[in-house]
Amino acid sequence: MAQPLVVKKDDDLDEEEYYSPFLGIEKGAVLQEARCFHDPQLDARRCCQVITKLLYLLNQGDTFTKVEATEVFFATTKLFQSKDAGLRRMVYLMIKELSPSADEVIIVTSSLMKDMNSKTDMYRANAIRVLCRIIDSTLLTQIERYLKQAIVDKNPVVASAALVSGIYLLQTSPEVVKRWSNEVQEAVQSRSALVQFHALALLHQIRQNDRLAVSKLVTSLTRGSVRSPLAQCLLIRYTSQVIRESGVSQGGDRPFFDFLESCLRNKAEMVILEAARAITELNGVTSRELTPAITVLQLFLSSSKPVLRFAAVRTLNKVASTHPLAVTNCNIDMESLISDQNRSIATLAITTLLKTGNESSVDRLMKQMTNFMSDIADEFKIVVVEAIRSLCLKFPLKYRSLMNFLSNILREEGGFEYKKAIVDSIIILIRDIPDAKESGLFHLCEFIEDCEFTYLSTQILHFLGNEGPKTSDPSKYIRYIYNRVILENATVRASAVSTLAKFGALVDSLKPRIFVLLRRCLFDGDDEVRDRATLYLKLLGGEATVGETEKDVNDFLFGALDIPLVNLETSLRNYEPSEAPFDISSVPKETKSQPIAEKKATGKKATGPSAVSGPIPSVDASYEKLLSSIPEFADFGKLFKSSAPVELTEAETEYSVNVVKHIYDGHVVVVHVDASEADEFLEVMSKPLRSLPCDAPGQTFVAFEKPEGVPATGKFSNTLRFIVKEVDPSTGEAEDDGVDDEYQLEDLEIVSADYMLKVGVSNFRNAWESMDPESERVDEYGLGVRESLAEAVSAVISILGMQPCEGTDVVPSNSRSHTCLLSGVFIGNVKVLVRLSFGISAPKEVAMKLAVRSDDPEISDKIHEIVANG
């Protein structure tokens, strides 16, 4: 027998307790109880309790075997004999959750169809919902007439059930549901709020793939025929969608925008909030157009209902990111919400104030937040920390008070994510505000003394090693670093040893002291700590070399590993011990290795390099091994890059062909193509496929010569030519005679991005500063009208084929400006770094500033040429 579970709800509710009736229930016991469904005299109350337990088990993730599900289903169908209304509703739920198979559905269909035509409206509504969930398209056509009648039924419960079922059926039988358009259109005019809401949702889904039809629907309904608040909220969303997709200007004749503005005067609070949110999220909205929405949201800030205050402050928080001046009038009301009992509201209020505040209000806000931070959870604290970071970057002269605040909360209790957010913020402020370097590094050194998180300790030590030697007095950090060697775990000790070596390499006056400290580390109990100390002592003492110059030593100590760790790990796992040492230069540098696409062709013929199968250590390594095994390609040199497979046929066609572009310094290898439109390419040889059995993959190659080291581009037209031969099924041998045939494939382009490897850097700023400033080339470009900044950023990344760094490929919604950092290796193994600065104006005109640094100034110019021609 299941025992009740006593659970405390909340300490604030006078130790109030409640009970769970489901503690300890077991599937086997419940299935035994389900035998009561077979009793001649049904106990409706007991049957309802058993069904409740079965539904609980199903929703908790328990699964029934085929036999168990069948037995429960047949037992449940017997309950249709009962006239108890409550039990009948539980039966509907049970049948829907069990999802009977096609042969079982027939058994219950007659009972459900009988209920669908019952005089009891509750039976009708529930029977429609269940029947539409379990029937197939064949049976649906038989009951379609009843469903169309139900949509326009006078009873709103029945009509809503039919409309909701239509929304579900649209996914499985769209052609049937689309025939109901007239009835659904009539239901949109219903006086019932719920029917109108469901009818509008279904009508929009029916027409969603026809942009003109959606526009006409919105135009007709914005004239005032929708009275349901729920339906009006839907209509506002559809109107916003039409504005975004059609690019309707906010000036001149603007009926859609006027409709949104009129909804701000609606009686329903949900409609007002939805309209305000829609206006604030429109692309290119001006401060003047925001004013009415901001005004109604300001009124909700003083509402007695917490949900209205939350909705208003959350919307204003988003607006403050793009139009801070438009929200400043709400600051007084916002400050009163800092003490709101709802901590979510208080957090949004304080972060909004941080976004909209001016330089003179910073100190006052910091005082208000001192007590506030101790009352909120870590997830809210992280939001506040990020807002403080943005404020500090906005007002760099206030870095002292903001840095002190971050330092104080860093020493308070908190989880890893919270502490990491603070450390990351301090590091960003140190990098972007030169005056904050000394105080910021000191705060990090104080925190590391008591830091309980290994990851944060190593992160701080790594950063300290890069920035500490560049300060006015590097020696004051040595004590903090060496303390980590004495007091920390092996991982942190090893990181501290590396940091000491960086100080010794960059600060000559500290080198003798560093030598003494590193020698002490030779007696450490951990192998890695001793090995690092030994290596660095020999490097700093000149006994071991990693290059010919001091710069080579510094590159070894400070340089970022330009090889993805996943690729390195894979190569090490596949390395077979031998006399030849492991060659790190053989590890592919592509950041996102694409697996070779192998088509599982059923009844199709395939050709192209996609046929290589089996466990692949990495894409480039596997391709290089394949190509080097072909004598004709052996003299081409080292493979620079292999592209992802490019499909040359549609998915549903008889033949399946894809192509991989293999780029060498002086050659390109692809599938057989016509290069008449690619002037810079000269075909030097081809390797056709002798035979290709049905349903089997295969490869064919053609090699082109191009100017060495030059990113030549061009378009290739492709034709698949072959001889079709019948195969004798008894012998498996192909007949001698065949039929010549050919198949036109899609065009293939060699683009500039094919000559760029996506290679990331761990620290973009350090990598940028290590590049020769003389190689930098800067220019500005107009990218024309774009739907959003995100679209422009994505287009430029695609043209260049480079790796986004530090997550800068993600553009915040409604952002007016953005900076994107890219890195890569150009053909010829030339490292390239790119800094892109984007801005978008009200008419959606996008401007871009492009700064490039590389190992070769000519390549920097070449990157600008690629963008200019792209």
Side-chain angles (χ1 to χ4, degrees):
M1 181 68 182
Q3 297 296 320
L5 170 64
V6 181
V7 181
K8 288 189 177 180
K9 271 187 167 181
D10 199 317
D11 293 338
D12 298 334
L13 299 180
D14 299 325
E15 303 292 327
E16 183 182 351
E17 298 176 349
Y18 72 99
Y19 297 86
S20 170
F22 301 112
L23 175 66
I25 66 171
E26 297 178 355
K27 184 176 72 171
V30 178
L31 291 175
Q32 288 289 333
E33 290 184 59
R35 293 182 177 181
C36 68
F37 297 169
H38 298 282
D39 292 346
Q41 298 295 325
L42 290 173
D43 184 343
R45 180 181 176 84
R46 186 185 176 195
C47 290
C48 284
Q49 290 175 344
V50 174
I51 291 179
T52 302
K53 292 179 182 179
L54 288 168
L55 291 171
Y56 173 79
L57 289 172
L58 287 170
N59 282 280
Q60 289 299 307
D62 282 288
T63 56
F64 292 169
T65 64
K66 177 67 175 175
V67 174
E68 291 170 345
T70 301
E71 289 179 353
V72 171
F73 172 72
F74 280 114
T76 304
T77 58
K78 291 192 174 184
L79 299 179
F80 276 103
Q81 303 171 31
S82 174
K83 302 298 182 183
D84 186 88
L87 178 58
R88 182 64 61 87
R89 297 180 71 180
M90 296 298 288
V91 170
Y92 292 137
L93 280 175
M94 195 66 207
I95 293 173
K96 189 175 71 170
E97 289 296 323
L98 282 174
S99 300
S101 59
D103 53 344
E104 296 171 344
V105 166
I106 300 172
I107 298 168
V108 78
T109 299
S110 58
S111 298
L112 289 172
M113 291 185 70
K114 182 180 177 182
D115 282 356
M116 195 169 68
N117 294 288
S118 169
K119 294 181 180 180
T120 306
D121 290 331
M122 189 58 68
Y123 287 1
R124 293 170 60 202
N126 285 308
I128 288 171
R129 288 176 183 268
V130 177
L131 198 55
C132 291
R133 282 294 182 113
I134 64 175
I135 60 174
D136 57 16
S137 56
T138 305
L139 186 58
L140 177 61
T141 56
Q142 299 178 26
I143 65 169
E144 182 182 0
R145 178 169 60 89
Y146 298 106
L147 293 175
K148 292 171 74 172
Q149 291 174 353
I151 289 174
V152 292
D153 196 275
K154 293 181 180 179
N155 188 299
V157 176
V158 175
S160 279
L163 290 165
V164 171
S165 299
I167 294 173
Y168 173 78
L169 290 171
L170 197 62
Q171 303 169 18
T172 56
S173 305
E175 296 305 320
V176 175
V177 179
K178 287 178 181 178
R179 296 199 293 262
W180 306 350
S181 292
N182 292 336
E183 287 77 13
V184 177
Q185 184 77 52
E186 184 178 340
V188 172
Q189 308 303 323
S190 172
R191 293 184 178 182
S192 169
L194 207 56
V195 172
Q196 196 173 55
F197 169 65
H198 289 144
L200 179 56
L202 178 55
L203 191 60
H204 178 265
Q205 286 198 26
I206 290 173
R207 301 182 179 181
Q208 63 182 348
N209 294 323
D210 186 343
R211 186 177 294 183
L212 182 60
V214 172
S215 181
K216 288 182 177 179
L217 172 66
V218 171
T219 302
S220 63
L221 294 179
T222 51
R223 294 169 183 165
S225 59
V226 177
R227 293 176 297 276
S228 162
L230 286 169
Q232 285 179 319
C233 288
L234 266 186
L235 184 57
I236 289 170
R237 294 185 182 185
Y238 299 155
T239 304
S240 300
Q241 178 187 349
V242 170
I243 292 175
R244 284 194 301 270
E245 291 179 351
S246 60
V248 176
S249 172
Q250 312 298 35
D253 185 21
R254 49 178 198 176
F256 294 136
F257 185 82
D258 289 341
F259 167 73
L260 295 180
E261 208 168 47
S262 68
C263 290
L264 296 173
R265 299 183 289 274
N266 197 283
K267 294 180 181 180
E269 293 164 339
M270 70 168 74
V271 177
I272 297 173
L273 283 169
E274 190 67 36
R277 186 183 63 83
I279 290 174
T280 58
E281 291 180 355
L282 288 177
N283 292 325
V285 66
T286 64
S287 297
R288 183 184 63 81
E289 290 161 343
L290 280 174
T291 302
I294 300 296
T295 302
V296 297
L297 291 172
Q298 186 176 6
L299 294 174
F300 283 139
L301 290 177
S302 54
S303 170
S304 59
K305 300 178 181 178
V307 66
L308 294 181
R309 298 199 302 274
F310 175 78
V313 73
R314 184 175 65 170
T315 305
L316 290 171
N317 184 274
K318 292 180 180 178
V319 178
S321 300
T322 53
H323 296 84
L325 293 178
V327 186
T328 50
N329 292 335
C330 306
N331 281 4
I332 296 176
D333 300 276
M334 209 82 69
E335 287 192 24
S336 64
L337 295 179
I338 296 177
S339 57
D340 196 284
Q341 291 182 348
N342 187 310
R343 294 288 85 187
S344 298
I345 295 174
T347 304
L348 287 168
I350 196 70
T351 53
T352 306
L353 286 169
L354 290 171
K355 293 175 183 178
T356 60
N358 52 40
E359 200 163 359
S360 60
S361 65
V362 170
D363 293 328
R364 187 178 78 255
L365 286 173
M366 291 300 103
K367 289 179 182 178
Q368 288 179 293
M369 282 197 298
T370 302
N371 297 325
F372 168 79
M373 293 294 285
S374 60
D375 297 333
I376 59 176
D378 278 5
E379 57 183 311
F380 298 128
K381 291 178 181 178
I382 292 172
V383 176
V384 174
V385 168
E386 291 172 349
I388 291 174
R389 180 180 68 204
S390 300
L391 185 68
C392 193
L393 294 174
K394 183 179 178 182
F395 303 119
L397 294 178
K398 287 292 182 180
Y399 78 88
R400 290 186 185 278
S401 58
L402 294 170
M403 190 74 82
N404 287 335
F405 179 83
L406 291 174
S407 173
N408 290 334
I409 62 175
L410 187 59
R411 290 193 290 268
E412 297 175 359
E413 292 185 3
F416 170 74
E417 293 296 336
Y418 172 48
K419 297 287 186 178
K420 183 177 183 299
I422 301 173
V423 170
D424 289 344
S425 296
I426 292 176
I427 288 175
I428 290 173
L429 296 181
I430 291 172
R431 286 176 177 170
D432 292 355
I433 305 175
D435 293 340
K437 179 179 289 187
E438 297 277 352
S439 61
L441 289 175
F442 181 72
H443 291 316
L444 291 178
C445 287
E446 285 188 324
F447 168 65
I448 204 175
E449 292 280 278
D450 302 311
C451 181
E452 57 184 307
F453 302 109
T454 297
Y455 175 86
L456 294 182
S457 295
T458 55
Q459 180 188 11
I460 292 171
L461 285 168
H462 175 74
F463 181 72
L464 192 60
N466 291 333
E467 300 294 332
K470 303 174 186 177
T471 58
S472 58
D473 185 12
S475 62
K476 64 182 180 182
Y477 303 110
I478 301 300
R479 175 174 64 88
Y480 295 101
I481 300 170
Y482 187 67
N483 282 347
R484 300 305 97 214
V485 178
I486 301 173
L487 304 173
E488 285 287 0
N489 58 51
T491 304
V492 179
R493 295 203 305 274
S495 182
V497 168
S498 298
T499 303
L500 286 172
K502 292 178 180 180
F503 274 79
L506 291 180
V507 185
D508 291 336
S509 60
L510 291 176
K511 188 171 289 188
R513 184 180 174 187
I514 299 297
F515 266 100
V516 173
L517 297 178
L518 289 177
R519 287 194 186 98
R520 293 178 185 175
C521 297
L522 296 175
F523 303 99
D524 192 274
D526 183 75
D527 289 343
E528 184 174 353
V529 176
R530 293 196 304 273
D531 288 348
R532 288 196 186 195
T534 303
L535 173 64
Y536 294 139
L537 279 169
K538 290 183 177 297
L539 282 174
L540 296 176
E543 298 176 38
T545 60
V546 291
E548 298 179 357
T549 64
E550 186 177 347
K551 181 179 181 299
D552 294 329
V553 176
N554 290 338
D555 286 344
F556 175 77
L557 290 172
F558 295 96
L561 182 67
D562 60 354
I563 298 171
L565 292 177
V566 174
N567 294 5
L568 178 59
E569 180 184 357
T570 304
S571 298
L572 287 170
R573 288 182 183 277
N574 287 279
Y575 170 69
E576 297 180 0
S578 63
E579 294 182 0
F582 176 77
D583 183 8
I584 197 169
S585 64
S586 66
V587 181
K589 295 183 178 181
E590 270 291 2
T591 300
K592 295 181 180 179
S593 296
Q594 305 251 2
I596 298 178
E598 178 181 2
K599 290 218 171 188
K600 296 181 179 178
T602 52
K604 296 183 180 180
K605 296 182 180 179
T607 184
S610 63
V612 184
S613 60
I616 304 297
S618 71
V619 174
D620 288 352
S622 64
Y623 283 144
E624 188 164 25
K625 184 177 180 180
L626 171 66
L627 294 170
S628 62
S629 66
I630 301 173
E632 293 88 343
F633 303 153
D635 297 332
F636 288 178
K638 185 173 176 60
L639 177 65
F640 174 71
K641 176 183 179 181
S642 295
S643 74
V646 180
E647 297 296 333
L648 298 184
T649 54
E650 298 292 338
E652 64 277 1
T653 56
E654 181 183 2
Y655 303 102
S656 175
V657 182
N658 64 40
V659 61
V660 176
K661 296 173 276 187
H662 304 290
I663 309 297
Y664 293 84
D665 277 351
H667 297 82
V668 174
V669 179
V670 293
V671 73
H672 187 64
V673 297
D674 175 9
S676 58
E677 296 184 49
D679 298 335
E680 296 185 80
F681 295 87
L682 175 65
E683 182 176 340
V684 292
M685 63 85 57
S686 63
K687 188 175 178 58
L689 189 63
R690 295 184 61 83
S691 64
L692 183 66
C694 186
D695 292 345
Q699 311 96 12
T700 177
F701 301 93
V702 61
F704 288 89
E705 189 175 23
K706 67 175 186 63
E708 189 165 345
V710 175
T713 59
K715 180 186 288 187
F716 301 81
S717 56
N718 310 289
T719 304
L720 179 65
R721 295 188 178 91
F722 52 94
I723 300 174
V724 180
K725 293 185 178 182
E726 296 292 335
V727 177
D728 188 339
S730 59
T731 64
E733 296 292 331
E735 296 180 358
D736 293 334
D737 297 329
V739 179
D740 289 342
D741 200 354
E742 65 178 42
Y743 190 82
Q744 189 62 43
L745 305 176
E746 298 290 334
D747 289 343
L748 170 70
E749 283 192 275
I750 302 291
V751 296
S752 300
D754 290 325
Y755 299 97
M756 182 72 74
L757 276 176
K758 292 183 177 181
V759 179
V761 293
S762 58
N763 187 319
F764 187 88
R765 179 173 179 175
N766 283 352
W768 180 269
E769 291 178 352
S770 66
M771 288 275 191
D772 184 4
E774 296 297 322
S775 71
E776 183 172 345
R777 301 290 185 269
V778 183
D779 206 346
E780 296 181 355
Y781 301 87
L783 303 184
V785 177
R786 299 279 178 169
E787 184 62 30
S788 64
L789 270 186
E791 180 193 338
V793 171
S794 177
V796 176
I797 293 175
S798 178
I799 290 171
L800 293 175
M802 300 180 71
Q803 174 66 28
C805 301
E806 301 175 8
T808 54
D809 55 324
V810 179
V811 183
S813 59
N814 293 326
S815 180
R816 313 289 297 179
S817 61
H818 185 70
T819 299
C820 183
L821 310 175
L822 306 176
S823 70
V825 174
F826 199 67
I827 189 166
N829 288 321
V830 181
K831 293 182 181 179
V832 181
L833 297 176
V834 167
R835 193 192 297 267
L836 300 166
S837 300
F838 295 87
I840 188 169
S841 62
K844 297 186 180 179
E845 290 277 352
V846 177
M848 179 185 75
K849 181 179 180 181
L850 169 63
V852 186
R853 287 189 181 183
S854 70
D855 291 340
D856 185 348
E858 291 186 7
I859 300 301
S860 299
D861 293 328
K862 179 62 68 177
I863 297 298
H864 278 278
E865 288 180 26
I866 292 172
V867 172
N869 297 330

